[in-house]
Amino acid sequence: MTDTSPPQSTKTWSARFSEPVSDLVKRFTASVLFDQRMAHQDIRGSLAHARMLTAQGIIEARDLAEIEAGMARITDEIEQGKFVWDLDAEDVHLNIEKRLTALVGDAGKRLHTGRSRNDQVATDIRLWLRDAIDQILTLITAFQRNLLDIAELHADTPLPGFTHLQVAQPVTFGHHLMAYFEMTRRDAERYADVRRRVNRLPLGSAALAGTSHPIDREMVARELGFEEVCANSLDAVSDRGFAIEFCAASSLLMMHLSRLSEELILWMSPRMGFIDLADRFCTGSSIMPQKKNPDVPELVRGKTGRVNGSLVSLLTLMKGQPLAYNKDNQEDKEPLFDTADTVIDTLRIYADMITGIKVKPEAMLAALSQGYATATDLADYMVKKGLPFRDAHEVVAMAVRAAERSGRDLPDFSLEELRAFSGLIDEDVYQVLTVEGSLASRNHAGGTAPDQVRAAIARARARLS
Ligand code: ARG
């Protein structure tokens, strides 16, 4: 029999080319060093494609059996670290296809029928990102559970609430922590929403225009767990909006954790001394023996910058690209992977760190007694006795000035002294001038009264279960 196969070349597309690329260009264009982490997704996608080609009579059952056997072997080789990744084969897709063909011959060469690396890579990224989102959602829940536990322990613990970093009004530490529950709850909602748009199938779009082979995209979508197929082939191969949305959701999550980090750092500074962090999240100084530095929260704050950077990278990557696929798109992976890695590590470490917070209620209370934290309560007290709020505000401002001059806090004044500011003030004023009275009076949905905080925690727990 005469051999009808074309002469073998070293590169997939070499027949068209008269000179090899330089080593520098090879290294510059290759993505295999970083996209090999999508190998399992690439194999899953290829198997679904091959099964569809077989069901549609485009390749034979014999080919499918060989492709499946070859892919099983390749999976083993990858898992055992024996797979040889080759820069000459450029990326994860060509590396696996080349190995498959070496293992099973023509069946391997038939796999790429009706497909392009353009729809293949878009499918792989979506499969990879879907798994990353699921992992992140699980980790957010783990973080939230631990946050709820400590919030519950401190539903009554008074903390100075700050505005402009100055003592403003008393809140409870539990209420303060629950603010972060709300932030991360919105983060989880955003990831779940992004997931819906990630979970659409590009495969079947081929290079950009679809294929003349009688493919069944719905079958592939079902096999891979995609909710729907991307509706336009040009859009499907070139869209990276889903990756940008993921990075945007991640920037927001990191921004929230960065704010919490900033608070942990401030609270832990000897000036405030509201909390201590477990030693395993801190380091010492190589020169100053007295130091215990909050390295982990500082790094979370710092890593937020690189996640924001990735978001800007991807937005910039996409803004100048005409339809459809351009090689620029290969640059999507490193920022995307780095973002997912950073978010996953940060959440894992935070879930643990939050349980290692040692709260110092005495220091919180001491700070509260220095900041006239119940001044607004005094104003509200007089409003309830009929004084217009603006006038009450003025009376309290005078009382605070007098307190400042005499180095005391408002509850330290005698009734007689207080009555000098307003005849509306009676003995019952001390109920609102105390921190406990102030906290208990904010007893409405979203307020800091301990009963409200406990109710918020109960609602949060019900949502998580
Ligand atoms: N490694 C490429 C990427 O990550 C795969 C797609 C290549 N397609 C192409 N037409 N060169 O984007």
Side-chain angles (χ1 to χ4, degrees):
M1 230 175 98
T2 40
D3 182 7
T4 55
S5 59
Q8 290 302 299
S9 53
T10 50
K11 267 209 141 187
T12 315
W13 45 82
S14 283
R16 159 90 172 65
F17 290 78
S18 55
E19 58 173 3
V21 296
S22 71
D23 282 348
L24 175 60
V25 170
K26 204 185 287 172
R27 188 163 54 72
F28 193 72
T29 53
S31 55
V32 65
L33 292 181
F34 53 83
D35 67 15
Q36 56 181 264
R37 62 187 291 179
M38 301 193 305
H40 290 300
Q41 288 75 14
D42 195 66
I43 291 171
R44 271 185 77 191
S46 286
L47 288 173
H49 181 67
R51 284 173 195 140
M52 180 279 290
L53 292 177
T54 313
Q56 296 297 100
I58 301 168
I59 64 172
E60 290 179 14
R62 217 182 32 219
D63 293 323
L64 176 61
E66 291 191 352
I67 290 169
E68 287 179 330
M71 288 301 198
R73 167 99 183 258
I74 291 172
T75 303
D76 278 352
E77 290 175 355
I78 292 171
E79 271 165 15
Q80 288 164 27
K82 290 190 187 139
F83 191 92
V84 184
W85 298 102
D86 176 11
L87 211 61
D88 278 328
E90 198 174 285
D91 58 23
V92 62
H93 323 292
L94 292 177
N95 265 272
I96 290 178
E97 189 183 327
K98 204 169 131 197
R99 178 71 185 135
L100 181 70
T101 302
L103 287 170
V104 305
D106 280 356
K109 293 193 217 160
R110 293 200 175 99
L111 173 62
H112 212 51
T113 312
R115 181 177 83 165
S116 151
R117 276 186 301 154
N118 298 352
D119 57 346
Q120 188 178 354
V121 68
T123 303
D124 292 1
I125 305 171
R126 285 170 184 262
L127 286 172
W128 188 91
L129 194 53
R130 193 176 68 184
D131 287 348
I133 291 174
D134 289 342
Q135 202 182 338
I136 288 171
L137 285 170
T138 306
L139 287 169
I140 291 178
T141 307
F143 165 75
Q144 288 177 325
R145 280 191 207 289
N146 292 348
L147 188 72
L148 289 179
D149 286 345
I150 135 154
E152 189 148 53
L153 279 177
H154 294 284
D156 301 271
T157 307
L159 168 84
F162 291 100
T163 60
H164 313 278
L165 211 52
Q166 297 172 15
V167 173
Q169 292 177 345
V171 294
T172 72
F173 190 54
H175 191 55
H176 194 106
L177 293 179
M178 286 304 286
Y180 288 96
F181 180 87
E182 290 302 317
M183 291 179 229
T184 50
R185 183 182 156 210
R186 293 192 295 276
D187 290 321
E189 285 171 1
R190 260 187 290 271
Y191 279 114
D193 192 55
V194 173
R195 191 189 191 280
R196 290 172 39 231
R197 281 176 295 283
V198 169
N199 205 19
R200 294 174 188 165
L201 174 76
L203 213 60
S205 305
L208 75 164
T211 173
S212 59
H213 296 287
I215 57 171
D216 179 353
R217 298 185 67 201
E218 295 291 346
M219 175 182 167
V220 179
R222 270 197 309 278
E223 175 114 4
L224 294 175
F226 284 108
E227 277 159 56
E228 53 184 275
V229 301
C230 296
N232 178 291
S233 62
L234 292 159
D235 177 46
V237 290
S238 65
D239 172 46
R240 295 295 182 271
F242 64 90
I244 294 175
E245 282 189 68
F246 171 80
C247 287
S250 299
S251 278
L252 283 162
L253 170 72
M254 290 297 292
M255 179 269 284
H256 293 147
L257 294 178
S258 182
R259 295 184 71 182
L260 180 53
S261 299
E262 174 69 7
E263 301 215 276
L264 296 180
I265 294 161
L266 287 172
W267 289 340
M268 191 182 152
S269 81
R271 285 298 166 101
M272 287 199 186
F274 293 172
I275 62 158
D276 203 6
L277 276 186
D279 285 356
R280 63 184 185 281
F281 301 106
C282 302
T283 60
S285 157
S286 56
I287 176 167
M288 298 166 284
Q290 83 280 16
K291 298 293 293 283
K292 178 176 162 187
N293 299 328
D295 283 30
V296 171
E298 285 177 4
L299 270 173
V300 170
R301 197 174 56 183
K303 282 174 191 291
T304 303
R306 71 196 268 168
V307 171
N308 291 350
S310 294
L311 171 62
V312 174
S313 292
L314 290 192
L315 284 165
T316 312
L317 176 72
M318 295 310 295
K319 72 176 273 295
Q321 286 194 50
L323 290 179
Y325 178 87
N326 302 279
K327 186 76 168 180
D328 313 38
N329 284 341
Q330 185 166 288
E331 285 289 306
D332 63 354
K333 282 165 214 67
E334 285 163 295
L336 188 65
F337 294 158
D338 190 70
T339 297
D341 290 345
T342 305
V343 166
I344 287 169
D345 276 356
T346 302
L347 282 168
R348 283 171 56 193
I349 211 157
Y350 239 107
D352 186 18
M353 189 162 65
I354 208 82
T355 62
I357 293 180
K358 189 175 159 286
V359 180
K360 298 177 174 171
E362 339 70 54
M364 295 175 177
L365 205 57
L368 259 175
S369 66
Q370 285 159 19
Y372 314 108
T374 52
T376 317
D377 298 87
L378 179 57
D380 285 341
Y381 169 87
M382 286 184 287
V383 167
K384 283 173 196 152
K385 302 227 167 172
L387 199 62
F389 182 76
R390 282 293 159 222
D391 295 339
H393 189 275
E394 206 40 43
V395 170
V396 178
M398 278 174 348
V400 167
R401 242 194 13 234
E404 246 169 9
R405 272 200 301 269
S406 63
R408 287 181 295 172
D409 194 8
L410 295 174
D412 302 332
F413 281 126
S414 69
L415 182 58
E416 207 178 314
E417 284 172 305
L418 286 173
R419 284 182 66 86
F421 299 110
S422 165
L424 292 171
I425 298 177
D426 286 315
E427 184 65 43
D428 60 353
V429 73
Y430 292 105
Q431 284 162 28
V432 306
L433 282 185
T434 62
V435 166
E436 291 69 32
S438 167
L439 288 173
S441 68
R442 283 157 169 74
N443 191 14
H444 53 79
T448 192
D451 284 349
Q452 291 295 336
V453 175
R454 272 185 281 273
I457 293 169
R459 278 195 302 275
R461 282 201 199 286
R463 243 182 243 119
L464 290 188
S465 59

